[in-house]
Amino acid sequence: MSSVQHAKPGEPLIVVSNRLPYNLPSASGSGTPRRNVGGLVNAVEPALAARGGLWVGWDGSVLPNLAAVDASLAGPRRWVSPEGVEFLGAPLTERELARYYHGFCNAALWPLFHDFIGKVRYLPEEYALYERVNRRMAEVVLAQAGPASRIWVHDFHLMRVPAILRELGFRGLINFFLHIPFPPGEIFRTLPWRDQLLSGLLAADGVAFHHERYRENFVRTAQGLVPLDVVPLGKQIGLVGSTGTSWASVSPIGIDVEDFERLAGDPAVIARSRRIRSAHGERRLLFAADRLDYTKGIRKRFHALERLFDLRPDLVGRADFVTVVVPSRHQVEEYRSLKRDVDREVGRINGERGEDGWLPIHYRYRALDRRELVAHYLAADVALVTPLRDGMNLVASEFVASRVDGDGALVLSEFAGVSDRLPGAMLVNPYDVDGVAAAIAHALDMSESERRGRMAQMRRRVRALTAVSWADDCLSSPGACAEGAA
Ligand code: ADQ
């Protein structure tokens, strides 16, 4: 792919992820960038804005064939955000979008890494396109890199990129961060291309995870499949193989706490949160926000709500559940079918349980902008974050960061990576519908002093870990280790 422009050689930090945080305007420059919703973009963008650097990724454009992709890469789309982050866009072909992104990424790796082995689909053609897109991204990055550059690769879409960068001759530092869980070895080993993905990751100097459990799974899996020595050093674990050492570390992600606190103190946002509250009258307010995904436990949560009204008839007509679901991956049949199920369940529960002037579930199927999201966080009595499995989960931390008033309760799944960071939350097993119902009831019944005590505990933890400190931690790791080892 010799046609890639060498516009900024020597850029010190280059981030690469499947998706840019914005769908960039067309090559002719018309239109404005449209922001994408998701955990990765919400955390990486403030970190990069603080450090400076270039972000390479798919810009949302889909072209008919490879010739069109090559032509587009001759003058790749660049854009600088108001926060000063520079973006460089790469396109996908229609086939790649279908088979690499919706196929291998979303229908094989996503369920596999979240332990939903029954949903996994392995197709060789989809893996071939995964390899091809990883190579393109590596080439686009390399064209921007100088010898002093550090390349920070993000997430399961691009696990081959570190190895391809090495193959193409890049000798600088490569960091990799996995935003989702790393599954137990016996699950990962079902993947026909397990060796390729492992060697992809082991080519990075640093491989970081949200949680100790994910790192443990990774280290054990690598040990079982590749000849290597495992060398713990400080907080890191060195995996020493024939081609070098890769340092595995744990760096839980943080959020842009300042921004959530600032919005939560903004008079217009506070006024909006009061309007939300008054729209629900005297009723207690339960709130959830998720991407539409079977890992997020949306349907199980509805069942817990039904159970709550069975166990506590006094809450019938006295509690409203507002659930805001962002459309996601609607090209994948699994997700379209989930959407139909969610719609049906909301209709059924409201039909069966509603009474004069009251419906238990207020369902919105759209993205909220951040001001609106914070207004809802502020208005809620209880936030329900009950994924069946989640690498970390940012919604829980965002809710806590927004509660500058020190009030509000959080019901949180023990299967979210963030669960052991939030000791003041009511931890639940999301599969235990009765247990979740009981936790919601407890959260609603809690005295103000207990609520405030728990929230204060959580706020201390959330404020101690920001998006910027997370990036500093990730990027200091392999270098620090190399020095320590020397
Ligand atoms: P996601 O699976 O996208 O992230 P999560 O961490 O919860 O999950 O982030 C979702 C983001 O979307 C949050 O920042 C939230 O504010 C936003 N969001 C959710 N519902 C919304 C709505 N209705 N309107 C607008 N915005 C909404 C992946 C992993 C996670 C990991 C992150 C970061 O799956 O486990 O925490 O990456 O590493």
Side-chain angles (χ1 to χ4, degrees), residues 39 42 179 210 291 296 324 326 368 390-394 398:
N42 285 356
H179 289 261
H210 283 308
R291 265 191 323 98
K296 302 291 182 187
V324 190
V326 197
L368 302 182
D390 212 333
M392 187 68 169
N393 190 289
L394 300 185
E398 293 169 2

Side-chain angles (χ1 to χ4, degrees), residues 288-305 321 323-326 328 335 338-339 341-343 345-346 349 361 363-365 384-388 430:
D290 314 82
R291 265 191 323 98
L292 179 74
D293 203 294
Y294 50 83
T295 60
K296 302 291 182 187
I298 298 169
R299 281 173 301 176
K300 279 266 178 311
R301 201 182 292 149
F302 289 156
H303 300 155
L305 192 76
F321 176 38
T323 179
V324 190
V325 177
V326 197
S328 184
Y335 287 76
L338 174 62
K339 164 75 168 54
D341 290 350
V342 168
D343 290 355
E345 280 300 87
V346 172
I349 295 169
I361 303 180
Y363 167 48
R364 321 255 152 79
Y365 180 62
L384 305 182
V385 180
T386 57
L388 305 178

Side-chain angles (χ1 to χ4, degrees), residues 436-467:
V436 176
I440 300 173
H442 182 174
L444 287 170
D445 293 343
M446 221 182 256
S447 68
E448 185 178 346
S449 70
E450 181 180 354
R451 245 180 7 242
R452 287 186 172 278
R454 285 171 173 267
M455 182 52 80
Q457 243 186 325
M458 293 194 282
R459 284 187 57 75
R460 274 195 295 279
R461 297 296 293 270
V462 166
R463 298 186 91 213
L465 181 65
T466 65

Side-chain angles (χ1 to χ4, degrees), residues 68-103:
V69 166
D70 272 349
S72 151
L73 288 174
R77 292 193 277 176
R78 280 182 182 273
W79 184 68
V80 180
S81 73
E83 290 76 29
V85 178
E86 186 173 6
F87 299 100
L88 183 68
L92 296 179
T93 65
E94 284 160 10
R95 240 177 101 230
E96 287 164 354
L97 179 64
R99 315 243 161 111
Y100 145 77
Y101 183 58
H102 297 305

Side-chain angles (χ1 to χ4, degrees), residues 49-68:
R51 301 177 74 93
L54 173 69
W55 189 335
V56 174
W58 175 41
D59 55 16
S61 62
V62 183
L63 302 178
N65 52 41
L66 279 180

